[in-house]
Amino acid sequence: MSKNQFDQKSQAWSALFSEPMSDLVKRYTASVFFDKRLWQADIQGSLAHAEMLSAQNIISTQDLADIQRGMAQIADEITKGQFVWQLDLEDVHLNIEARLTQIVGDAGKRLHTGRSRNDQVATDVRLWLVSEIDLISALLNDLQKSLIEVAERNVEVILPGFTHLQVAQPVSFAHHLLAYVEMFARDAERMADVRRRTNRLPLGSAALAGTSYPLDRERVAKSLGMVDAQGQACVSQNSLDGVSDRDFAIEFTAAATLCMVHISRLSEELILWMSQNFGFVKIADRFTTGSSIMPQKKNPDVPELARGKTGRVVGHLMGLITLMKGQPLAYNKDNQEDKEPLFDTVDTLKDTLRIFSEMICGQVNAQTGQKEGGISVNAAAMEAATKKGYATATDLADYLVKKGLPFRDAHEVVAHAVKTAQSENLDLSELPLTTLQKFNPAIEKDVFECLSLVGSLNARNTLGGTAPDQVRLQIARHHARLGF
Ligand code: ARG
């Protein structure tokens, strides 16, 4: 710490203070080592503020020019890794402001007119989060597209649909993948919704009560892109709320948590499907690891880690909610603790979405232009597993209903048929017609059509059902919706 810099910071409030902070307290209260990540948003917010101050004749045009020149230099220094971040200057805001003043002198000291770090930090975090939400939304679209591409190749592939992890009814593998597309589409909707509430300007709230300078907050909001769909400025309407609201961070983390929960469910399925007992799919070797002791192993590390990382994002949500619950209005230093959970949530979610898109559908090979290295599907294993589980029992019951039996009676008849088939170790479709007719004389030769897996699938031809015709309609809808 140079004497000069300590003075700069302490002068911000320190005529009152008779002793400097201890090193421990400095370390405890500083946030620069994590919030320096907000530097671009901080500079962007400061430039918009300075430009407005000058337009309102609160600072001179020369001051504005100096601030712009200084900030350009600072951005350059940070980009090149030459900027010296100082713990003594506590956070990203004071670090940048102190350096600005070093470079341009008094104009740097005028930048803070009509604002406080309280509205500054709230603005920075919002600006930063909006740009991250945009990246996440794009990644969510990529993941949906990956799932849809694999679905397209597997419309006719039959998977045992489970309830209670017991074979229930046959479903198209594509239909199963498209269930996740629905989840990720809702996640994208939630992100868009959170974005709307995040993209609002607190700057101008000052410390808590607003400011006596004639600020033009709408101008600042517009220059930062904080506008609604009609292009109207979005500005917080209560200064106490503006500096202390962190709903947006909690809401974002809640949306991220749900998205991770969806990924975690998909992970769990991939892990099961890859196990020797299922053998339904394989993922490319680069997403797995071997064992240091068991040479035969290929472990699904990526899905397992995604399932595990979901826990930490859930934890961040709990952390942020708990952070808010006891805070009186307005700003409290507690809020400095919002950043690490938020940053980690963003990083975890982005990495996970990226890796899943690639794991599901592979990567484009530069030579062939084709995607390679996605999951490979063992249709025969899926079909064999479906047959083992009497997955067409409901179809037999439906068949009897069509022949005039009440459903409950049909259910009972089929239970007997399944019991017999089980004792003979046969599928329902493998029982001779004469045996089937013993359970109910209405059964005729055409029963075998409905006992086949394909027949069962085709029969579920209602909107949202698993019949291949329906699945193809859904795929077409997703193509139109996502524009690819
Ligand atoms: N580093 C602080 C934060 O992250 C900035 C705001 C500080 N304001 C204050 N009055 N101490 O929340």
Side-chain angles (χ1 to χ4, degrees):
M1 165 187 78
S2 83
K3 172 94 175 64
N4 182 31
Q5 267 130 9
F6 175 69
D7 285 343
Q8 264 177 2
K9 179 190 171 187
S10 54
Q11 271 162 19
W13 58 75
S14 80
L16 206 60
F17 290 75
S18 51
E19 56 174 10
M21 269 183 185
S22 77
D23 282 347
L24 178 60
V25 174
K26 252 188 235 167
R27 215 165 14 88
Y28 196 74
T29 54
S31 53
V32 65
F33 289 114
F34 51 86
D35 69 15
K36 65 181 174 190
R37 174 168 179 168
L38 296 172
W39 71 268
Q40 272 167 311
D42 194 68
I43 290 179
Q44 203 191 347
S46 288
L47 287 174
H49 180 67
E51 190 268 332
M52 179 275 295
L53 290 178
S54 149
Q56 298 291 98
N57 293 317
I58 301 168
I59 62 171
S60 69
T61 51
Q62 184 56 54
D63 284 335
L64 173 60
D66 288 346
I67 290 169
Q68 287 168 332
R69 172 174 57 83
M71 287 301 196
Q73 182 177 330
I74 290 172
D76 191 52
E77 288 173 4
I78 298 175
T79 313
K80 291 187 174 140
Q82 292 161 352
F83 191 91
V84 187
W85 297 100
Q86 299 186 63
L87 183 75
D88 292 304
L89 290 166
E90 195 178 315
D91 58 23
V92 60
H93 324 291
L94 292 178
N95 266 271
I96 290 180
E97 196 187 321
R99 178 73 184 127
L100 181 70
T101 301
Q102 242 178 23
I103 299 170
V104 304
D106 281 355
K109 295 188 197 160
R110 293 199 181 98
L111 171 63
H112 213 51
T113 313
R115 83 174 180 186
S116 144
R117 270 187 304 155
N118 298 352
D119 56 347
Q120 187 180 355
V121 68
T123 303
D124 290 3
V125 177
R126 282 170 184 268
L127 276 176
W128 171 81
L129 188 58
V130 164
S131 64
E132 294 294 337
I133 288 174
D134 289 342
L135 296 175
I136 288 166
S137 303
L139 291 171
L140 272 167
N141 283 357
D142 286 347
L143 178 54
Q144 290 178 68
K145 288 178 190 169
S146 291
L147 286 161
I148 293 162
E149 280 183 42
V150 178
E152 267 168 334
R153 299 197 285 269
N154 291 281
V155 174
E156 314 269 351
V157 169
I158 292 174
L159 173 83
F162 293 110
T163 61
H164 315 273
L165 206 56
Q166 313 248 344
V167 174
Q169 289 176 351
V171 293
S172 146
F173 184 53
H175 191 57
H176 194 102
L177 294 178
L178 293 184
Y180 285 98
V181 173
E182 296 291 334
M183 295 179 227
F184 295 125
R186 288 196 297 278
D187 289 329
E189 271 177 39
R190 266 184 284 274
M191 286 295 166
D193 209 39
V194 174
R195 187 190 194 281
R196 262 189 322 113
R197 278 183 292 279
T198 304
N199 203 27
R200 264 175 217 169
L201 184 79
L203 205 64
S205 304
L208 75 166
T211 171
S212 54
Y213 298 95
L215 303 188
D216 182 350
R217 298 186 62 208
E218 266 146 25
R219 181 188 182 112
V220 177
K222 283 187 181 156
S223 69
L224 292 174
M226 290 179 150
V227 291
D228 64 17
Q230 285 74 45
Q232 297 296 311
C234 296
V235 175
S236 68
Q237 301 289 314
N238 180 297
S239 58
L240 296 164
D241 182 48
V243 290
S244 63
D245 166 34
R246 296 293 182 275
D247 295 10
F248 70 91
I250 296 174
E251 233 189 298
F252 166 78
T253 310
T257 299
L258 261 178
C259 184
M260 287 299 293
V261 165
H262 294 149
I263 288 178
S264 189
R265 298 185 70 186
L266 178 55
S267 299
E268 173 64 11
E269 301 212 288
L270 288 170
I271 293 161
L272 284 173
W273 291 345
M274 283 174 66
S275 71
Q276 285 78 3
N277 295 334
F278 283 73
F280 290 177
V281 300
K282 280 201 180 113
I283 58 175
D285 281 357
R286 65 182 185 285
F287 300 102
T288 64
T289 58
S291 153
S292 51
I293 174 167
M294 296 167 286
Q296 85 282 17
K297 296 292 297 275
K298 229 182 239 179
N299 297 325
D301 283 29
V302 167
E304 283 177 352
L305 269 173
R307 192 175 57 184
K309 285 175 190 288
T310 302
R312 87 195 229 179
V313 175
V314 171
H316 293 327
L317 174 61
M318 293 306 121
L320 286 172
I321 288 177
T322 314
L323 177 68
M324 279 321 283
K325 74 173 274 292
Q327 284 195 49
L329 293 180
Y331 175 86
N332 302 283
K333 185 79 165 178
D334 310 41
N335 284 336
Q336 184 164 291
E337 287 288 306
D338 64 357
K339 288 169 201 66
E340 287 163 295
L342 199 54
F343 293 165
D344 189 66
T345 299
V346 164
D347 292 341
T348 306
L349 182 59
K350 283 199 311 195
D351 284 349
T352 308
L353 288 171
R354 251 184 224 127
I355 209 162
F356 262 64
S357 286
E358 197 191 315
M359 187 172 67
I360 300 286
C361 198
Q363 252 182 333
V364 179
N365 175 327
Q367 259 110 56
T368 62
Q370 298 290 316
K371 278 196 179 169
E372 282 171 12
I375 58 170
S376 47
V377 176
N378 186 341
M382 288 183 188
E383 191 169 326
T386 316
K387 283 196 171 142
K388 254 196 229 159
Y390 301 96
T392 56
T394 317
D395 296 271
L396 180 55
D398 292 342
Y399 172 88
L400 289 167
V401 167
K402 279 183 206 134
K403 299 277 176 184
L405 247 69
F407 183 78
R408 284 291 164 216
D409 294 342
H411 187 280
E412 190 57 22
V413 168
V414 177
H416 286 295
V418 168
K419 203 169 167 194
T420 302
Q422 267 172 345
S423 69
E424 292 176 23
N425 212 2
L426 293 172
D427 181 44
L428 283 175
S429 62
E430 291 162 343
L431 290 177
L433 182 59
T434 47
T435 310
L436 286 168
Q437 281 168 336
K438 278 186 208 143
F439 300 109
N440 191 288
I443 296 177
E444 291 172 84
K445 223 171 79 203
D446 62 349
V447 73
F448 291 106
E449 214 168 289
C450 89
L451 288 180
S452 78
L453 299 183
V454 172
S456 168
L457 223 60
N458 283 331
R460 282 161 179 75
N461 200 1
T462 40
L463 176 66
T466 192
D469 284 350
Q470 290 295 331
V471 174
R472 284 192 195 94
L473 283 177
Q474 293 297 334
I475 289 173
R477 182 177 66 83
H478 289 307
H479 271 285
R481 184 175 64 79
L482 294 166
F484 81 115

